[in-house]
Coordinates of all heavy atoms in Angstrom, one line a residue:
M26 N -79.4 -35.5 -7.8 CA -80.0 -34.4 -6.9 C -80.7 -35.2 -5.7 O -81.4 -36.1 -5.9 CB -80.9 -33.6 -7.7 CG -81.7 -32.5 -6.8 SD -82.8 -31.6 -7.8 CE -82.0 -30.0 -7.7
G27 N -80.4 -34.7 -4.5 CA -81.0 -35.4 -3.3 C -82.4 -34.9 -3.0 O -82.9 -34.0 -3.6
I28 N -83.0 -35.7 -2.2 CA -84.4 -35.4 -1.8 C -84.3 -34.5 -0.5 O -83.4 -34.8 0.3 CB -85.1 -36.7 -1.4 CG1 -85.3 -37.6 -2.6 CG2 -86.5 -36.4 -0.8 CD1 -85.7 -39.0 -2.3
T29 N -85.0 -33.5 -0.4 CA -85.0 -32.6 0.8 C -86.2 -33.0 1.7 O -87.3 -33.0 1.3 CB -85.2 -31.2 0.4 OG1 -84.2 -30.9 -0.5 CG2 -85.1 -30.3 1.6
L30 N -85.8 -33.4 2.9 CA -86.8 -33.7 3.9 C -87.6 -32.5 4.2 O -87.0 -31.4 4.3 CB -86.1 -34.3 5.2 CG -85.5 -35.6 5.1 CD1 -84.8 -35.9 6.4 CD2 -86.6 -36.7 4.9
P31 N -88.9 -32.6 4.5 CA -89.6 -31.4 4.8 C -89.2 -30.8 6.2 O -89.0 -31.6 7.1 CB -91.0 -31.9 4.9 CG -90.9 -33.4 5.1 CD -89.6 -33.8 4.5
R32 N -89.0 -29.6 6.2 CA -88.6 -28.9 7.5 C -89.7 -27.9 7.7 O -90.3 -27.2 6.8 CB -87.3 -28.2 7.3 CG -86.1 -29.1 7.1 CD -85.9 -30.0 8.3 NE -84.7 -30.7 8.2 CZ -84.4 -31.8 8.9 NH1 -85.3 -32.3 9.7 NH2 -83.3 -32.4 8.7
P33 N -90.1 -27.7 9.0 CA -91.2 -26.8 9.4 C -90.7 -25.4 9.1 O -89.6 -25.0 9.3 CB -91.3 -27.0 10.8 CG -90.1 -27.7 11.3 CD -89.5 -28.4 10.1
A34 N -91.7 -24.6 8.7 CA -91.5 -23.2 8.5 C -91.7 -22.5 9.8 O -92.3 -23.0 10.7 CB -92.5 -22.7 7.4
G35 N -91.3 -21.2 9.9 CA -91.6 -20.4 11.0 C -90.3 -20.2 11.9 O -89.2 -20.5 11.4
D36 N -90.5 -19.6 13.0 CA -89.3 -19.1 13.8 C -88.8 -20.2 14.6 O -87.6 -20.1 15.0 CB -89.8 -18.0 14.7 CG -90.3 -16.8 13.9 OD1 -89.8 -16.6 12.8 OD2 -91.2 -16.1 14.5
D37 N -89.5 -21.3 14.9 CA -89.0 -22.4 15.7 C -87.8 -23.1 15.0 O -88.0 -23.5 13.9 CB -90.1 -23.3 16.1 CG -89.7 -24.3 17.1 OD1 -88.6 -24.2 17.6 OD2 -90.6 -25.2 17.5
D38 N -86.7 -23.2 15.7 CA -85.5 -23.7 15.1 C -85.1 -25.1 15.7 O -84.0 -25.4 15.6 CB -84.4 -22.8 15.1 CG -84.0 -22.4 16.5 OD1 -84.6 -22.8 17.5 OD2 -83.0 -21.6 16.6
W39 N -86.1 -25.8 16.3 CA -85.7 -27.1 16.9 C -85.1 -28.0 15.8 O -84.2 -28.8 16.2 CB -87.0 -27.8 17.5 CG -88.0 -28.1 16.5 CD1 -89.1 -27.3 16.3 CD2 -88.2 -29.2 15.6 NE1 -89.9 -27.9 15.3 CE2 -89.3 -29.1 14.9 CE3 -87.3 -30.3 15.4 CZ2 -89.8 -30.0 14.0 CZ3 -87.8 -31.2 14.5 CH2 -88.9 -31.1 13.8
W40 N -85.5 -27.9 14.6 CA -85.0 -28.9 13.6 C -83.5 -28.6 13.3 O -82.9 -29.5 12.7 CB -85.8 -28.7 12.3 CG -86.0 -27.3 11.8 CD1 -86.9 -26.4 12.1 CD2 -85.1 -26.7 10.9 NE1 -86.7 -25.3 11.4 CE2 -85.6 -25.4 10.6 CE3 -83.9 -27.1 10.2 CZ2 -84.9 -24.5 9.8 CZ3 -83.3 -26.2 9.4 CH2 -83.8 -24.9 9.2
K41 N -83.0 -27.5 13.7 CA -81.5 -27.3 13.5 C -80.7 -28.2 14.4 O -79.5 -28.4 14.1 CB -81.1 -25.8 13.8 CG -81.7 -24.8 12.8 CD -81.4 -23.5 13.1 CE -82.0 -22.4 12.2 NZ -81.8 -21.1 12.6
K42 N -81.3 -28.8 15.4 CA -80.6 -29.7 16.3 C -80.8 -31.2 15.8 O -80.3 -32.1 16.5 CB -81.1 -29.6 17.7 CG -80.9 -28.3 18.3 CD -81.4 -28.2 19.7 CE -82.1 -26.9 20.0 NZ -83.1 -27.0 21.0
A43 N -81.6 -31.3 14.8 CA -81.9 -32.7 14.3 C -80.7 -33.5 13.9 O -79.8 -33.0 13.2 CB -82.9 -32.6 13.1
V44 N -80.7 -34.8 14.2 CA -79.5 -35.6 13.8 C -79.8 -36.2 12.5 O -78.9 -36.8 11.8 CB -79.2 -36.7 14.8 CG1 -78.7 -36.1 16.1 CG2 -80.3 -37.6 15.1
C45 N -81.1 -36.2 12.0 CA -81.3 -36.7 10.6 C -81.0 -35.5 9.7 O -80.9 -34.4 10.1 CB -82.8 -37.0 10.5 SG -84.0 -35.7 10.8
T46 N -80.6 -35.9 8.5 CA -80.1 -34.9 7.5 C -81.1 -34.9 6.3 O -82.0 -35.6 6.2 CB -78.7 -35.2 7.1 OG1 -78.8 -36.5 6.3 CG2 -77.8 -35.3 8.2
S47 N -80.8 -34.0 5.4 CA -81.7 -33.8 4.3 C -81.1 -34.6 3.1 O -81.5 -34.3 1.9 CB -81.9 -32.4 3.9 OG -80.7 -31.8 3.7
D48 N -80.2 -35.4 3.3 CA -79.6 -36.1 2.1 C -80.5 -37.3 1.7 O -81.4 -37.7 2.4 CB -78.1 -36.6 2.3 CG -78.0 -37.7 3.4 OD1 -79.0 -38.3 3.7 OD2 -76.9 -37.8 3.8
E49 N -80.3 -37.8 0.5 CA -81.1 -38.8 -0.1 C -81.2 -40.1 0.8 O -82.3 -40.7 1.0 CB -80.6 -39.2 -1.4 CG -81.6 -40.0 -2.2 CD -81.3 -40.0 -3.7 OE1 -80.4 -39.2 -4.2 OE2 -81.9 -40.7 -4.4
E50 N -80.1 -40.5 1.4 CA -80.0 -41.7 2.1 C -80.9 -41.6 3.3 O -81.7 -42.5 3.7 CB -78.6 -42.0 2.5 CG -78.5 -43.3 3.4 CD -77.1 -43.5 3.9 OE1 -76.2 -42.7 3.5 OE2 -76.8 -44.4 4.6
C51 N -80.9 -40.4 4.0 CA -81.7 -40.2 5.2 C -83.1 -40.1 4.8 O -84.0 -40.7 5.5 CB -81.2 -38.9 5.9 SG -81.7 -38.9 7.6
A52 N -83.5 -39.5 3.8 CA -84.9 -39.4 3.4 C -85.5 -40.7 3.1 O -86.6 -41.1 3.5 CB -85.0 -38.5 2.1
E53 N -84.7 -41.6 2.5 CA -85.2 -42.9 2.2 C -85.4 -43.7 3.5 O -86.4 -44.5 3.6 CB -84.2 -43.6 1.3 CG -84.7 -45.0 0.8 CD -84.0 -45.5 -0.4 OE1 -83.6 -44.6 -1.3 OE2 -83.9 -46.7 -0.6
L54 N -84.5 -43.6 4.4 CA -84.6 -44.3 5.6 C -85.9 -43.8 6.4 O -86.6 -44.7 6.9 CB -83.3 -44.0 6.5 CG -83.2 -44.7 7.8 CD1 -83.2 -46.3 7.6 CD2 -82.0 -44.3 8.5
F55 N -86.1 -42.5 6.5 CA -87.2 -42.1 7.3 C -88.5 -42.1 6.6 O -89.6 -42.0 7.3 CB -86.9 -40.6 7.8 CG -86.0 -40.5 8.9 CD1 -84.6 -40.7 8.7 CD2 -86.5 -40.3 10.2 CE1 -83.7 -40.7 9.8 CE2 -85.6 -40.3 11.3 CZ -84.2 -40.5 11.1
Y56 N -88.5 -42.3 5.3 CA -89.8 -42.4 4.6 C -90.0 -43.7 3.9 O -90.9 -43.8 3.0 CB -89.9 -41.2 3.6 CG -90.3 -39.9 4.3 CD1 -89.3 -39.1 4.8 CD2 -91.6 -39.6 4.6 CE1 -89.5 -38.0 5.5 CE2 -91.9 -38.4 5.3 CZ -90.9 -37.7 5.7 OH -91.2 -36.5 6.4
S57 N -89.2 -44.7 4.2 CA -89.3 -46.0 3.5 C -90.3 -46.9 4.1 O -90.5 -46.9 5.3 CB -88.0 -46.6 3.5 OG -88.0 -47.9 3.0
E58 N -90.9 -47.7 3.3 CA -91.8 -48.8 3.8 C -91.1 -50.1 4.0 O -91.6 -51.1 4.4 CB -93.0 -49.0 2.8 CG -93.7 -47.7 2.5 CD -94.8 -47.5 3.5 OE1 -95.4 -48.4 4.0 OE2 -95.1 -46.3 3.8
A59 N -89.8 -50.1 3.6 CA -89.0 -51.3 3.6 C -88.8 -51.8 5.0 O -88.6 -51.0 6.0 CB -87.7 -51.1 2.9
S60 N -88.8 -53.1 5.1 CA -88.6 -53.8 6.4 C -87.3 -53.4 7.0 O -86.3 -53.4 6.3 CB -88.7 -55.3 6.2 OG -88.3 -56.0 7.3
G61 N -87.3 -53.0 8.3 CA -86.1 -52.6 8.9 C -85.7 -51.2 8.9 O -85.0 -50.7 9.7
S62 N -86.3 -50.4 7.9 CA -86.0 -49.0 7.8 C -86.5 -48.2 9.0 O -85.9 -47.3 9.5 CB -86.5 -48.4 6.5 OG -85.8 -48.9 5.4
A63 N -87.8 -48.5 9.4 CA -88.4 -47.8 10.5 C -87.6 -48.0 11.8 O -87.4 -47.1 12.5 CB -89.8 -48.2 10.7
A64 N -87.2 -49.2 12.0 CA -86.4 -49.5 13.2 C -85.1 -48.8 13.2 O -84.7 -48.2 14.2 CB -86.2 -51.0 13.3
R65 N -84.4 -48.7 12.1 CA -83.1 -48.0 12.0 C -83.4 -46.5 12.2 O -82.6 -45.8 12.9 CB -82.5 -48.2 10.6 CG -81.9 -49.6 10.5 CD -81.2 -49.8 9.2 NE -80.3 -48.8 8.9 CZ -80.0 -48.4 7.6 NH1 -80.7 -48.9 6.6 NH2 -79.1 -47.5 7.3
A66 N -84.4 -46.0 11.6 CA -84.7 -44.5 11.8 C -85.1 -44.2 13.2 O -84.6 -43.2 13.8 CB -85.9 -44.1 10.9
K67 N -85.8 -45.1 13.8 CA -86.2 -44.8 15.3 C -85.0 -44.9 16.2 O -84.9 -44.1 17.1 CB -87.2 -46.0 15.7 CG -88.6 -45.8 15.2 CD -89.4 -47.0 15.7 CE -90.9 -46.7 15.4 NZ -91.7 -47.7 16.2
R68 N -84.1 -45.7 15.9 CA -82.8 -45.8 16.7 C -82.1 -44.4 16.6 O -81.6 -43.9 17.6 CB -81.9 -46.9 16.3 CG -82.3 -48.2 16.9 CD -81.2 -49.2 16.8 NE -80.9 -49.6 15.5 CZ -81.5 -50.5 14.8 NH1 -82.5 -51.2 15.3 NH2 -81.1 -50.8 13.5
I69 N -82.1 -43.8 15.5 CA -81.5 -42.5 15.3 C -82.3 -41.5 16.1 O -81.7 -40.6 16.8 CB -81.5 -42.1 13.8 CG1 -80.5 -43.0 13.1 CG2 -81.0 -40.6 13.6 CD1 -80.5 -42.9 11.5
C70 N -83.6 -41.5 16.0 CA -84.5 -40.5 16.7 C -84.2 -40.6 18.2 O -84.2 -39.6 18.9 CB -85.9 -40.8 16.5 SG -86.5 -40.5 14.8
F71 N -84.0 -41.8 18.8 CA -83.9 -41.9 20.2 C -82.6 -41.3 20.8 O -82.5 -41.1 22.0 CB -84.1 -43.3 20.7 CG -85.5 -43.7 20.7 CD1 -86.1 -44.5 19.7 CD2 -86.3 -43.3 21.7 CE1 -87.4 -44.8 19.7 CE2 -87.7 -43.6 21.7 CZ -88.3 -44.3 20.7
S72 N -81.7 -40.9 19.9 CA -80.5 -40.2 20.3 C -80.6 -38.7 19.9 O -79.6 -38.0 20.0 CB -79.3 -40.9 19.8 OG -79.2 -40.7 18.4
C73 N -81.7 -38.3 19.4 CA -81.8 -36.9 18.8 C -82.2 -35.9 19.9 O -83.2 -36.1 20.5 CB -82.8 -36.9 17.7 SG -83.0 -35.3 17.0
P74 N -81.5 -34.8 20.1 CA -81.9 -33.8 21.1 C -83.2 -33.1 20.7 O -83.7 -32.4 21.6 CB -80.7 -32.9 21.1 CG -80.0 -33.1 19.8 CD -80.2 -34.5 19.4
A75 N -83.6 -33.2 19.5 CA -84.8 -32.5 19.0 C -86.1 -33.4 19.0 O -87.1 -33.0 18.6 CB -84.6 -31.9 17.6
R76 N -85.9 -34.6 19.6 CA -87.0 -35.6 19.5 C -88.4 -35.0 20.0 O -89.4 -35.2 19.4 CB -86.6 -36.8 20.2 CG -87.6 -37.9 20.1 CD -87.2 -39.2 20.6 NE -88.3 -40.1 20.7 CZ -88.7 -40.7 21.8 NH1 -88.1 -40.6 22.9 NH2 -89.8 -41.5 21.7
S77 N -88.4 -34.5 21.2 CA -89.7 -34.0 21.8 C -90.3 -33.0 20.9 O -91.5 -33.1 20.6 CB -89.5 -33.5 23.2 OG -89.1 -34.5 24.0
A78 N -89.5 -32.0 20.5 CA -90.1 -30.9 19.7 C -90.5 -31.5 18.3 O -91.5 -31.0 17.7 CB -89.0 -29.8 19.5
C79 N -89.8 -32.4 17.7 CA -90.1 -33.0 16.5 C -91.4 -33.7 16.6 O -92.3 -33.5 15.7 CB -89.0 -34.0 16.1 SG -89.3 -34.9 14.6
L80 N -91.6 -34.5 17.6 CA -92.8 -35.2 17.8 C -94.1 -34.3 18.0 O -95.1 -34.4 17.4 CB -92.8 -36.2 18.9 CG -94.0 -37.1 19.3 CD1 -94.5 -37.9 18.0 CD2 -93.8 -38.0 20.4
E81 N -93.8 -33.3 18.8 CA -94.9 -32.3 19.0 C -95.3 -31.6 17.7 O -96.4 -31.4 17.4 CB -94.3 -31.2 20.0 CG -95.4 -30.2 20.5 CD -94.8 -29.3 21.6 OE1 -94.0 -29.8 22.4 OE2 -95.0 -28.1 21.4
H82 N -94.3 -31.2 16.9 CA -94.6 -30.6 15.6 C -95.4 -31.5 14.7 O -96.4 -31.1 14.1 CB -93.3 -30.2 14.9 CG -93.5 -29.8 13.5 ND1 -93.9 -28.5 13.2 CD2 -93.3 -30.5 12.3 CE1 -94.1 -28.5 11.9 NE2 -93.7 -29.6 11.3
A83 N -95.0 -32.8 14.7 CA -95.7 -33.7 13.8 C -97.1 -33.9 14.3 O -98.1 -34.0 13.4 CB -95.0 -35.1 13.8
Q84 N -97.4 -33.9 15.6 CA -98.7 -34.1 16.1 C -99.6 -32.8 15.9 O -100.7 -32.9 15.5 CB -98.7 -34.5 17.6 CG -98.0 -35.8 17.9 CD -98.8 -37.0 17.3 OE1 -98.8 -37.1 16.1 NE2 -99.3 -37.8 18.1
E85 N -99.0 -31.7 16.1 CA -99.7 -30.5 15.9 C -100.1 -30.3 14.4 O -101.1 -29.6 14.1 CB -98.9 -29.2 16.3 CG -98.8 -29.1 17.8 CD -97.9 -28.0 18.3 OE1 -97.3 -27.3 17.4 OE2 -97.7 -27.9 19.5
T86 N -99.3 -30.7 13.5 CA -99.5 -30.5 12.1 C -100.2 -31.6 11.4 O -100.5 -31.6 10.2 CB -98.2 -30.1 11.3 OG1 -97.3 -31.3 11.5 CG2 -97.6 -28.9 11.8
G87 N -100.4 -32.7 12.2 CA -101.1 -33.9 11.6 C -100.3 -34.6 10.6 O -100.8 -35.2 9.6
E88 N -99.0 -34.5 10.7 CA -98.1 -35.2 9.8 C -98.4 -36.8 9.8 O -98.2 -37.4 10.9 CB -96.6 -34.9 10.2 CG -95.6 -35.5 9.3 CD -95.7 -35.0 7.9 OE1 -95.6 -33.8 7.7 OE2 -95.8 -35.9 7.0
N89 N -98.7 -37.4 8.8 CA -99.1 -38.8 8.7 C -98.1 -39.7 8.1 O -98.2 -40.9 8.2 CB -100.4 -38.9 8.0 CG -101.6 -38.5 8.8 OD1 -101.6 -38.6 10.0 ND2 -102.6 -37.9 8.1
F90 N -97.0 -39.1 7.5 CA -96.1 -40.0 6.8 C -94.6 -39.8 7.4 O -94.3 -38.8 7.8 CB -96.1 -39.7 5.3 CG -97.4 -39.9 4.7 CD1 -98.2 -38.8 4.5 CD2 -97.9 -41.2 4.4 CE1 -99.5 -39.0 3.9 CE2 -99.1 -41.4 3.9 CZ -100.0 -40.3 3.6
G91 N -93.9 -40.9 7.4 CA -92.5 -40.9 7.8 C -92.3 -41.0 9.3 O -93.4 -41.0 10.0
I92 N -91.1 -41.1 9.7 CA -90.8 -41.2 11.1 C -90.5 -39.8 11.6 O -89.7 -39.1 11.1 CB -89.5 -42.1 11.3 CG1 -89.6 -43.5 10.7 CG2 -89.2 -42.2 12.8 CD1 -90.6 -44.4 11.3
W93 N -91.2 -39.4 12.6 CA -91.1 -38.1 13.3 C -91.0 -38.4 14.8 O -91.9 -39.0 15.3 CB -92.2 -37.2 12.9 CG -92.2 -36.6 11.5 CD1 -92.6 -37.3 10.5 CD2 -91.9 -35.3 11.1 NE1 -92.6 -36.5 9.3 CE2 -92.1 -35.3 9.7 CE3 -91.5 -34.2 11.7 CZ2 -91.9 -34.1 8.9 CZ3 -91.3 -33.0 11.0 CH2 -91.5 -33.0 9.6
G94 N -90.0 -37.8 15.4 CA -90.0 -38.0 16.9 C -89.9 -39.4 17.3 O -90.3 -39.8 18.4
G95 N -89.4 -40.3 16.5 CA -89.3 -41.7 16.9 C -90.5 -42.5 16.7 O -90.5 -43.7 17.1
L96 N -91.5 -42.0 16.1 CA -92.8 -42.8 15.9 C -93.2 -42.8 14.4 O -92.9 -41.8 13.7 CB -93.9 -42.1 16.7 CG -93.7 -42.0 18.2 CD1 -95.0 -41.4 18.9 CD2 -93.5 -43.4 18.8
T97 N -93.7 -43.8 14.0 CA -94.3 -44.0 12.7 C -95.6 -43.2 12.6 O -96.2 -42.8 13.6 CB -94.6 -45.4 12.3 OG1 -95.6 -45.9 13.2 CG2 -93.4 -46.3 12.4
G98 N -96.0 -43.0 11.4 CA -97.3 -42.3 11.2 C -98.4 -43.0 11.8 O -99.3 -42.4 12.5
H99 N -98.5 -44.3 11.8 CA -99.5 -45.1 12.4 C -99.4 -44.9 13.9 O -100.5 -44.7 14.6 CB -99.3 -46.6 12.1 CG -100.3 -47.5 12.8 ND1 -101.6 -47.6 12.3 CD2 -100.1 -48.3 13.9 CE1 -102.2 -48.5 13.2 NE2 -101.3 -48.9 14.1
E100 N -98.3 -44.9 14.5 CA -98.2 -44.8 16.0 C -98.6 -43.4 16.4 O -99.2 -43.2 17.4 CB -96.7 -45.0 16.4 CG -96.3 -46.4 16.3 CD -94.8 -46.7 16.3 OE1 -94.0 -45.8 16.0 OE2 -94.4 -47.8 16.6
R101 N -98.3 -42.4 15.6 CA -98.7 -41.0 15.9 C -100.2 -40.8 15.9 O -100.8 -40.2 16.7 CB -98.0 -40.0 15.0 CG -96.5 -39.9 15.3 CD -95.9 -38.7 14.6 NE -96.2 -38.6 13.2 CZ -95.5 -39.2 12.2 NH1 -94.4 -40.0 12.5 NH2 -95.8 -39.1 10.9
R102 N -100.8 -41.4 14.8 CA -102.3 -41.4 14.7 C -102.9 -42.0 15.9 O -103.9 -41.5 16.4 CB -102.8 -42.0 13.4 CG -102.5 -41.1 12.2 CD -103.3 -41.7 11.0 NE -102.8 -43.1 10.6 CZ -101.7 -43.3 9.8 NH1 -100.9 -42.3 9.4 NH2 -101.3 -44.5 9.5
A103 N -102.4 -43.2 16.4 CA -102.9 -43.9 17.5 C -102.9 -43.0 18.7 O -103.8 -42.9 19.5 CB -102.2 -45.2 17.7
R104 N -101.7 -42.3 18.9 CA -101.6 -41.4 20.1 C -102.7 -40.2 20.0 O -103.3 -39.9 21.0 CB -100.2 -40.8 20.2 CG -99.2 -41.8 20.6 CD -97.8 -41.2 20.5 NE -97.6 -40.1 21.4 CZ -97.0 -40.1 22.6 NH1 -96.4 -41.2 23.0 NH2 -96.9 -39.1 23.4
R105 N -102.8 -39.7 18.8 CA -103.8 -38.6 18.7 C -105.2 -39.1 19.0 O -106.0 -38.4 19.6 CB -103.8 -38.0 17.2 CG -102.5 -37.1 17.0 CD -102.7 -36.3 15.8 NE -102.8 -37.0 14.5 CZ -101.8 -37.3 13.7 NH1 -100.5 -36.9 14.1 NH2 -102.0 -37.9 12.6
Q106 N -105.5 -40.3 18.6 CA -106.8 -40.9 18.8 C -107.2 -41.0 20.3 O -108.3 -40.8 20.7 CB -107.0 -42.3 18.2 CG -107.6 -42.4 16.9 CD -107.7 -43.8 16.4 OE1 -106.9 -44.7 16.8 NE2 -108.7 -44.0 15.6
Y107 N -106.2 -41.2 21.0 CA -106.3 -41.3 22.5 C -106.0 -40.0 23.2 O -105.8 -40.0 24.5 CB -105.5 -42.5 23.0 CG -106.1 -43.8 22.5 CD1 -105.4 -44.5 21.5 CD2 -107.3 -44.3 23.0 CE1 -105.9 -45.7 21.1 CE2 -107.8 -45.5 22.6 CZ -107.1 -46.2 21.6 OH -107.6 -47.4 21.1
G108 N -105.9 -39.0 22.5 CA -105.7 -37.6 23.1 C -104.3 -37.4 23.7 O -104.1 -36.5 24.5
R109 N -103.3 -38.2 23.2 CA -102.0 -38.0 23.7 C -101.2 -37.2 22.7 O -101.3 -37.4 21.5 CB -101.3 -39.4 23.9 CG -102.1 -40.2 25.0 CD -101.4 -41.5 25.2 NE -100.0 -41.2 25.8 CZ -99.1 -42.2 25.9 NH1 -99.3 -43.4 25.4 NH2 -98.0 -41.9 26.5
P110 N -100.3 -36.3 23.3 CA -99.5 -35.5 22.3 C -98.5 -36.3 21.6 O -98.1 -37.3 22.0 CB -98.9 -34.4 23.3 CG -99.0 -35.0 24.7 CD -100.1 -36.0 24.7
Ligands
LIG221 S1 -86.5 -37.0 16.2 FE1 -86.0 -38.3 14.5 S2 -87.1 -37.4 12.7 FE2 -87.2 -35.9 14.4 S3 -85.5 -34.5 14.0 FE3 -84.7 -36.1 15.4 S4 -83.8 -37.7 14.0 FE4 -85.1 -36.3 12.8

């Protein structure tokens, strides 16, 4: 049984354009602490048409884990600290 990546609830359907998928391999890539995984996930994000909306959602909801919108949790927290969306 695969892992399901969290998807936002509500009417906004930006995540339907996401190039990441909900299969186990993708979940491991986007939520792994393993060396190289974040870089691989980020490369996928940078070609994703939903990137801006994904990052905005992660920032609005205070998502602290995984790669969202091409940034790690640490990078997103740093942006929030400096008042950047
Ligand atoms: S920006 Fe990255 S994490 Fe967000 S939907 Fe696209 S591929 Fe998935």
Side-chain angles (χ1 to χ4, degrees):
M26 176 180 248
I28 298 168
T29 302
L30 288 173
R32 295 296 190 199
D36 297 332
D37 191 0
D38 61 357
W39 60 264
W40 54 269
K41 290 178 183 170
K42 298 181 222 148
V44 297
C45 58
T46 66
S47 60
D48 67 18
E49 191 166 350
E50 181 183 356
C51 200
E53 187 159 329
L54 183 62
F55 280 78
Y56 284 90
S57 173
E58 304 274 325
S60 168
S62 291
R65 285 179 55 211
K67 285 177 166 194
R68 278 196 296 275
I69 294 170
C70 293
F71 281 101
S72 66
C73 178
R76 183 172 169 238
S77 296
C79 175
L80 179 58
E81 187 178 318
H82 169 79
Q84 294 297 66
E85 285 175 2
T86 59
E88 181 64 55
N89 284 324
F90 301 102
I92 306 290
W93 289 73
L96 299 180
T97 64
H99 177 76
E100 292 165 337
R101 292 192 306 274
R102 283 192 297 280
R104 286 175 65 104
R105 285 197 296 268
Q106 260 183 334
Y107 293 104
R109 298 183 63 195

